Amino acid sequence: MSSNMELIGRDEINDLEAILSVTNSDVDAIVHAVKSNSDAVFTWDYERSRLPLIKLYEKAKTSQWNVTTDLDWTTDVDQRKLALENFQADQAFFSETIDLKGTPFEKWTENEWVDFGIESQNWLLSQFMHGEQGALLCTARIVETVPWIDAKYYAATQVMDEARHVEVFAKYLDDKLSGHYPINAHLGLLLDDILYDSRWDMTYLGMQVMVEGLALAAFGFLHQMTSEPLLKQLLRYVMSDEARHVAFGVLSLQEYYNELTDAEMKDRQEFAFEAAVRMRDRFLQQEVWERMGVPVKDAVRLVMADEGRKEFQNILFSKIVPNCKKLGLLDRNNGLLRKRFTELGVIQFEDWVDTGEEYAMLDEVAKDRAADAAAY
Ligand SMILES: [Fe+2]
Ligand SMILES: [Fe+2]
């Protein structure tokens, strides 16, 4: 088994210095290029043979929505008022068990916490937007590299979905929020790794299973928490697409992984672990602490010590772990990934519902259309 140092560049998963040493040094750049190492693959086998993918493709064709016309952009969003309401509803960032005496937060008043709430939201939605662009590029890559016609058809619909997702988050940030953040360095490294890999199934594993699995859980959490109706509806629409995307990953890889040798599976297991750590690191939101003028290390140390925060972060893995289990990634090679996920503190989700079929339940567009039809 490769060491943590080889996989994630540090021995200790929670090595704070090492985590914070990864920063975005490229914040003023307008473009960022990643070298392509993969072949664009034609297939001459046009026969439709993969029923689950055919079903998914049909669903995708009838579940398209339109950012400009399906959402009510006249909704007035008062970001400060919402942040204040959150603060007053006692949604304190740190749990009560954390003693803030002697920390930079000891003297924070309502005002700082509200500013922090606003910055956190700007940061989070910015990362969603950047992640969506990663999905757009990865899925366009899959159209080229996957050797199956049914998967090429389906991936083409996902490219359109992802363009819509970048569009919707960019528009919400511009029209309703108060600032952007550059891409988080951990997220950036992960997206680069996924795009750099020449193996078509690694794009799926990195994007559809890991990044989109986490996104689906994160969107679900935010959808539940927010009282802002435009954001709520927007997230609901995005989630119905994302559930299809994760299903696409699981359904495609399930077939492919059955044929892989132990050595080949080991590469996939290690890649899944590396991706999981990078995503966990990204949610420490180091850039927000920096903008709030508090020592980043002190803040992140408190976040990592806070059991309540950990629980929230772990919930983000609630889709990834069962999907990895379904793909046989947890237990091949003597439970390699099981051990790593245990170390990361997320193995408890292994028997939660996987996303192979969940997309049908989450289809918001179909529900809206049915409701419209019933109203006539
Ligand atoms: Fe997306
Ligand atoms: Fe997606």
Side-chain angles (χ1 to χ4, degrees), residues 332-363:
R332 281 284 282 276
N333 293 307
N334 300 318
L336 190 160
L337 190 59
R338 170 178 298 281
K339 280 179 209 142
R340 299 293 197 164
F341 276 174
T342 306
E343 204 183 340
L344 202 56
V346 298
I347 195 67
Q348 64 272 23
F349 300 114
E350 65 170 308
D351 293 320
W352 285 38
V353 60
D354 67 66
T355 318
E357 296 292 339
E358 205 182 15
Y359 66 88
M361 281 159 20
L362 280 170
D363 189 346

Coordinates of all heavy atoms in Angstrom, one line a residue, residues 332-363:
R332 N -11.8 -4.4 -1.9 CA -10.7 -5.0 -2.6 C -9.4 -4.8 -2.0 O -9.2 -3.8 -1.3 CB -10.7 -4.5 -4.1 CG -11.8 -5.1 -5.0 CD -11.6 -6.5 -5.4 NE -10.6 -6.6 -6.5 CZ -10.9 -6.5 -7.8 NH1 -12.2 -6.2 -8.2 NH2 -10.0 -6.6 -8.8
N333 N -8.4 -5.6 -2.3 CA -7.0 -5.5 -1.8 C -7.0 -5.4 -0.2 O -6.5 -4.4 0.3 CB -6.4 -4.3 -2.4 CG -6.1 -4.5 -3.9 OD1 -5.5 -5.5 -4.3 ND2 -6.6 -3.6 -4.7
N334 N -7.7 -6.4 0.4 CA -7.7 -6.4 1.9 C -8.3 -5.2 2.5 O -7.7 -4.7 3.5 CB -6.3 -6.7 2.4 CG -5.8 -8.0 1.9 OD1 -6.5 -9.0 1.9 ND2 -4.5 -8.0 1.5
G335 N -9.3 -4.6 1.9 CA -10.0 -3.5 2.6 C -9.2 -2.2 2.6 O -9.3 -1.4 3.5
L336 N -8.4 -2.0 1.5 CA -7.5 -0.8 1.5 C -8.2 0.5 1.7 O -7.9 1.3 2.6 CB -6.8 -0.8 0.1 CG -5.6 0.1 -0.2 CD1 -4.9 -0.4 -1.4 CD2 -6.1 1.5 -0.5
L337 N -9.3 0.7 1.0 CA -10.0 2.0 1.1 C -10.8 2.0 2.4 O -11.0 3.1 3.0 CB -10.9 2.2 -0.1 CG -11.5 3.6 -0.2 CD1 -10.4 4.7 -0.2 CD2 -12.4 3.8 -1.4
R338 N -11.3 0.9 2.8 CA -12.0 0.8 4.1 C -11.1 1.4 5.2 O -11.6 2.2 6.1 CB -12.5 -0.6 4.4 CG -13.0 -0.9 5.8 CD -13.5 -2.3 6.0 NE -14.6 -2.6 5.1 CZ -15.8 -2.3 5.2 NH1 -16.2 -1.6 6.3 NH2 -16.7 -2.6 4.4
K339 N -9.9 0.9 5.2 CA -8.9 1.4 6.3 C -8.7 2.9 6.2 O -8.7 3.6 7.2 CB -7.6 0.7 6.1 CG -7.6 -0.7 6.7 CD -6.2 -1.4 6.5 CE -6.5 -2.9 6.4 NZ -5.6 -3.6 5.5
R340 N -8.6 3.4 5.0 CA -8.3 4.8 4.8 C -9.5 5.6 5.2 O -9.4 6.7 5.8 CB -8.0 5.1 3.3 CG -6.8 4.4 2.8 CD -5.5 4.9 3.5 NE -4.3 4.5 2.7 CZ -3.1 5.0 2.9 NH1 -3.0 6.0 3.8 NH2 -2.1 4.6 2.2
F341 N -10.7 5.2 4.8 CA -11.9 5.9 5.2 C -12.2 5.9 6.7 O -12.7 6.8 7.2 CB -13.1 5.4 4.4 CG -13.3 6.0 3.0 CD1 -14.3 5.5 2.1 CD2 -12.5 7.0 2.6 CE1 -14.4 6.0 0.8 CE2 -12.6 7.5 1.3 CZ -13.6 7.0 0.4
T342 N -11.7 4.8 7.3 CA -11.8 4.7 8.8 C -10.9 5.7 9.4 O -11.3 6.5 10.3 CB -11.5 3.3 9.2 OG1 -12.2 2.3 8.5 CG2 -11.7 3.1 10.7
E343 N -9.7 5.8 8.9 CA -8.8 6.8 9.4 C -9.3 8.2 9.2 O -9.1 9.1 10.0 CB -7.5 6.7 8.5 CG -6.2 7.1 9.1 CD -5.0 6.9 8.1 OE1 -5.1 6.1 7.2 OE2 -4.0 7.6 8.3
L344 N -10.0 8.5 8.1 CA -10.6 9.8 7.8 C -11.9 10.1 8.6 O -12.4 11.2 8.6 CB -10.9 9.9 6.3 CG -11.0 11.2 5.6 CD1 -9.7 12.0 5.8 CD2 -11.2 11.0 4.1
G345 N -12.4 9.0 9.2 CA -13.6 9.2 10.1 C -14.9 9.2 9.3 O -15.9 9.8 9.8
V346 N -15.0 8.5 8.2 CA -16.2 8.6 7.4 C -16.8 7.2 7.0 O -17.8 7.1 6.3 CB -16.0 9.4 6.1 CG1 -15.7 10.8 6.4 CG2 -15.0 8.8 5.2
I347 N -16.2 6.2 7.6 CA -16.7 4.8 7.2 C -18.1 4.5 7.6 O -18.8 3.7 7.0 CB -15.7 3.7 7.7 CG1 -15.9 2.4 7.0 CG2 -15.8 3.5 9.2 CD1 -15.5 2.4 5.5
Q348 N -18.6 5.3 8.6 CA -19.9 5.0 9.2 C -21.0 5.1 8.1 O -22.2 4.7 8.4 CB -20.2 5.9 10.4 CG -20.2 7.4 10.1 CD -18.8 8.0 10.3 OE1 -17.8 7.3 10.1 NE2 -18.8 9.3 10.5
F349 N -20.7 5.7 7.0 CA -21.8 5.9 6.0 C -21.9 4.8 5.0 O -22.7 4.8 4.0 CB -21.5 7.2 5.2 CG -21.5 8.4 6.0 CD1 -20.4 9.2 6.2 CD2 -22.7 8.9 6.7 CE1 -20.4 10.3 7.0 CE2 -22.7 10.0 7.5 CZ -21.5 10.7 7.7
E350 N -21.1 3.7 5.2 CA -21.0 2.7 4.1 C -22.4 2.1 3.8 O -22.6 1.7 2.6 CB -20.0 1.6 4.5 CG -20.4 0.8 5.7 CD -19.4 -0.4 5.9 OE1 -19.3 -1.1 4.9 OE2 -18.9 -0.6 7.0
D351 N -23.3 2.0 4.7 CA -24.6 1.4 4.4 C -25.7 2.4 4.2 O -26.9 2.0 4.1 CB -24.9 0.4 5.5 CG -24.0 -0.8 5.5 OD1 -23.6 -1.3 4.4 OD2 -23.5 -1.2 6.6
W352 N -25.4 3.6 4.0 CA -26.4 4.6 3.6 C -26.8 4.3 2.2 O -26.1 3.6 1.5 CB -25.9 6.0 3.8 CG -25.8 6.5 5.2 CD1 -25.5 5.7 6.3 CD2 -26.1 7.8 5.7 NE1 -25.5 6.4 7.5 CE2 -25.9 7.7 7.1 CE3 -26.5 9.0 5.2 CZ2 -26.1 8.8 8.0 CZ3 -26.7 10.1 6.0 CH2 -26.5 10.0 7.4
V353 N -27.9 5.0 1.8 CA -28.4 4.7 0.4 C -27.4 5.1 -0.7 O -26.8 6.2 -0.5 CB -29.8 5.3 0.2 CG1 -29.7 6.8 0.3 CG2 -30.4 4.9 -1.1
D354 N -27.2 4.3 -1.7 CA -26.3 4.7 -2.7 C -27.1 5.4 -3.8 O -28.3 5.5 -3.7 CB -25.5 3.5 -3.3 CG -26.5 2.5 -4.0 OD1 -27.0 2.9 -5.1 OD2 -26.7 1.4 -3.5
T355 N -26.4 6.0 -4.8 CA -27.0 6.9 -5.7 C -27.3 6.3 -7.1 O -27.7 7.0 -8.0 CB -26.1 8.2 -5.9 OG1 -25.6 8.5 -4.6 CG2 -26.9 9.4 -6.3
G356 N -27.2 5.0 -7.1 CA -27.5 4.3 -8.4 C -29.0 4.5 -8.9 O -29.2 4.7 -10.1
E357 N -29.9 4.7 -8.0 CA -31.3 4.8 -8.4 C -31.9 6.1 -7.9 O -33.1 6.4 -8.2 CB -32.1 3.6 -7.9 CG -31.7 2.3 -8.4 CD -32.1 2.1 -9.9 OE1 -32.9 2.9 -10.4 OE2 -31.4 1.3 -10.6
E358 N -31.2 6.8 -7.0 CA -31.9 7.9 -6.3 C -32.3 9.1 -7.2 O -33.2 9.9 -6.9 CB -30.8 8.5 -5.3 CG -31.4 9.2 -4.1 CD -30.3 9.8 -3.2 OE1 -29.1 9.9 -3.7 OE2 -30.6 10.1 -2.1
Y359 N -31.8 9.1 -8.4 CA -32.1 10.2 -9.3 C -33.6 10.3 -9.7 O -34.1 11.4 -9.9 CB -31.2 10.2 -10.6 CG -31.5 9.0 -11.5 CD1 -32.5 9.1 -12.5 CD2 -30.8 7.8 -11.4 CE1 -32.7 8.1 -13.3 CE2 -31.1 6.8 -12.2 CZ -32.0 6.9 -13.2 OH -32.3 5.8 -14.0
A360 N -34.3 9.2 -9.7 CA -35.7 9.3 -10.1 C -36.5 10.0 -9.0 O -37.4 10.8 -9.3 CB -36.2 7.9 -10.3
M361 N -36.1 9.8 -7.7 CA -36.8 10.5 -6.6 C -36.5 12.0 -6.6 O -37.3 12.8 -6.1 CB -36.3 9.9 -5.3 CG -37.0 8.6 -5.0 SD -36.0 7.6 -3.8 CE -35.0 8.7 -2.9
L362 N -35.3 12.4 -7.1 CA -34.9 13.8 -6.9 C -35.2 14.6 -8.2 O -34.9 15.7 -8.2 CB -33.4 13.8 -6.7 CG -32.9 13.5 -5.3 CD1 -31.4 13.4 -5.3 CD2 -33.3 14.6 -4.3
D363 N -36.0 14.0 -9.1 CA -36.2 14.7 -10.4 C -37.3 15.8 -10.2 O -38.5 15.6 -10.2 CB -36.7 13.8 -11.5 CG -36.7 14.5 -12.8 OD1 -36.7 15.7 -12.8 OD2 -36.8 13.8 -13.8

